[in-house]
Amino acid sequence: MQRDCHMTDVQWSAGISLFYVGYIISQVPANTMVAKGKPQYLMPCFMLACSAVTISMTALNSAWGFMLCRFLVGVTEGPFIPAVSLMTSSWYTKGESLPFGSCPISLRPRVNAGGVSEDDEGVHWEGVRLALKEPFTWLFASSHFFIVLGQSFEDFLPSIMGTFGFYKTNTYLLQAPPYVFAYMLTIGISWSSGRHLEHCWHMVGSMALCLVGAVIMISTLSLGPRYFSLFLLYGGPFVALNLQISWETAVVPRPRTKRAALIAIANCVSSVSHWFTPYFVLRSQEPRYQTGGGVIVAGCGLAIVSCIVTRWWCVKKNKEIEKRENETGETSTWRFVT
């Protein structure tokens, strides 16, 4: 595409970044609309609009057209992940809200929310104001940001795979096994996280895998270890991101508009990393991509720190609840999930 549209490296990187500009600006307003509106109509509209813009990209023949379409794809795709996270968190309790699981739906979400129907509370922009004042919003935004920073290799994976020296078809086929591994790893670790109702240490272990993968990628030119590193690179952030979204929805039960805003804000903040990471994967550094690999290592390390800090804050809030119970004699089943 870069060759066919006569794009320089800067124009190509700018087009990739512009997707995330549109992606970010659409999320908060769209998710507050979904929270108080009718998702069964809004979600198909979002996805049909995204499909229409994506299909139009086949007619591209210039750099400005590529940049415009990337921006519009971001605008139309942005509402999807936050809206799906919001809707599933409204169906399941915090012990059931991990991805890749299924269970019967009942009245349990109301119990999970402290006996109050989340539909009864909040207006469109009141939830945004509450989310901005909530410390959990910024704790989750930071960990979400660093997890996505660790996942930044994904935008340039074909370029990384291209340095392996295989024919084009084989290069594309070799991208599939790491994704299969990541999927199976996500199922297994998500099941474990849900069974033990624990997020932090499962996420820490997942991001440690990615960190090791990045170190291997930039430290050797041997084909076998480099291909193995892709399995670790894929698996870590995909697992951590699923657990991260589940954790975000588990600690803010109501009102739904506040939870909607928190999810969207955290996702928006994390997407900012895509504005600058495309400029770190430099063709002049093939095949090691030392700068890009260094950014991934930093992202993984900081994601681990952020997860631990968030867990510390959850434990602190739980101790405050227990102290209040001892003082008043009133008991509550609510605890912040760690």
Side-chain angles (χ1 to χ4, degrees):
M1 183 180 288
Q2 183 177 354
R3 181 182 64 252
D4 292 345
C5 293
H6 313 291
M7 287 184 280
T8 65
D9 286 350
V10 173
Q11 289 172 326
W12 173 253
S13 296
I16 291 175
S17 297
L18 278 170
F19 167 87
Y20 295 100
V21 175
Y23 188 76
I24 288 170
I25 64 176
S26 65
Q27 289 188 36
V28 173
N31 221 29
T32 54
M33 288 171 58
V34 170
K36 299 299 287 186
K38 295 185 176 181
Q40 67 268 36
Y41 301 125
L42 292 172
M43 289 295 288
C45 289
F46 294 149
M47 300 315 296
L48 286 172
C50 182
S51 298
V53 178
T54 302
I55 290 171
S56 69
M57 292 185 72
T58 59
L60 292 177
N61 57 16
S62 65
W64 74 264
F66 172 70
M67 295 180 193
L68 176 61
C69 280
R70 286 284 298 178
F71 173 77
L72 293 177
V73 170
V75 170
T76 52
E77 186 179 323
F80 184 69
I81 290 179
V84 169
S85 302
L86 172 66
M87 289 189 295
T88 55
S89 70
S90 298
W91 301 335
Y92 300 110
T93 67
K94 60 188 177 183
E96 302 163 341
S97 61
L98 290 168
F100 304 108
S102 61
C103 67
I105 299 173
S106 73
L107 297 171
R108 287 170 301 172
R110 177 174 293 197
V111 175
N112 184 66
V116 180
S117 173
E118 59 182 11
D119 292 326
D120 299 336
E121 298 181 302
V123 294
H124 284 79
W125 292 103
E126 175 66 11
V128 177
R129 186 185 69 81
L130 292 172
L132 290 172
K133 293 170 58 179
E134 172 61 61
F136 274 116
T137 300
W138 306 111
L139 289 170
F140 285 129
S142 64
S143 57
H144 205 144
F145 176 87
F146 293 126
I147 290 170
V148 172
L149 191 62
Q151 197 180 21
S152 59
F153 71 91
E154 192 178 20
D155 286 334
F156 284 89
L157 187 62
S159 299
I160 297 171
M161 290 291 297
T163 65
F164 283 22
F166 296 111
Y167 290 112
K168 185 178 294 185
T169 301
N170 292 341
T171 297
Y172 289 133
L173 289 174
L174 284 171
Q175 294 180 43
Y179 274 113
V180 175
F181 170 77
Y183 178 74
M184 300 304 295
L185 189 67
T186 301
I187 292 176
I189 295 182
S190 295
W191 174 84
S192 174
S193 178
R195 180 177 176 83
H196 298 96
L197 208 58
E198 198 285 325
H199 294 73
C200 174
W201 301 120
H202 286 79
M203 292 169 65
V204 167
S206 301
M207 293 309 294
L209 287 179
C210 184
L211 191 153
V212 172
V215 171
I216 294 173
M217 183 185 73
I218 63 178
S219 61
T220 181
L221 294 179
S222 179
L223 188 59
R226 293 193 75 213
Y227 187 55
F228 173 72
S229 74
L230 294 183
F231 285 79
L232 303 182
L233 283 172
Y234 277 61
F238 279 113
V239 174
L241 200 55
N242 276 278
L243 300 183
Q244 165 75 24
I245 294 173
S246 172
W247 202 3
E248 290 172 6
T249 61
V251 298
V252 182
R254 65 178 198 271
R256 182 160 58 183
T257 51
K258 178 183 178 181
R259 189 166 73 249
L262 184 152
I263 295 168
I265 291 170
N267 207 41
C268 285
V269 171
S270 70
S271 299
V272 170
S273 66
H274 292 286
W275 289 359
F276 55 84
T277 52
Y279 299 94
F280 293 145
V281 182
L282 308 173
R283 296 182 67 182
S284 61
Q285 294 186 351
E286 292 181 355
R288 293 182 186 271
Y289 294 111
Q290 300 95 311
T291 302
V295 170
I296 294 172
V297 169
C300 292
L302 291 170
I304 290 171
V305 173
S306 294
C307 288
I308 294 173
V309 171
T310 304
R311 184 184 186 279
W312 168 80
W313 184 252
C314 289
V315 171
K316 181 177 183 295
K317 299 293 288 185
N318 285 337
K319 288 181 178 179
E320 291 176 0
I321 294 174
E322 292 168 2
K323 180 182 179 181
R324 187 161 57 249
E325 287 179 348
N326 292 332
E327 292 174 350
T328 63
E330 298 178 358
T331 59
S332 170
T333 59
W334 171 260
R335 291 295 186 272
F336 290 94
V337 181
T338 59

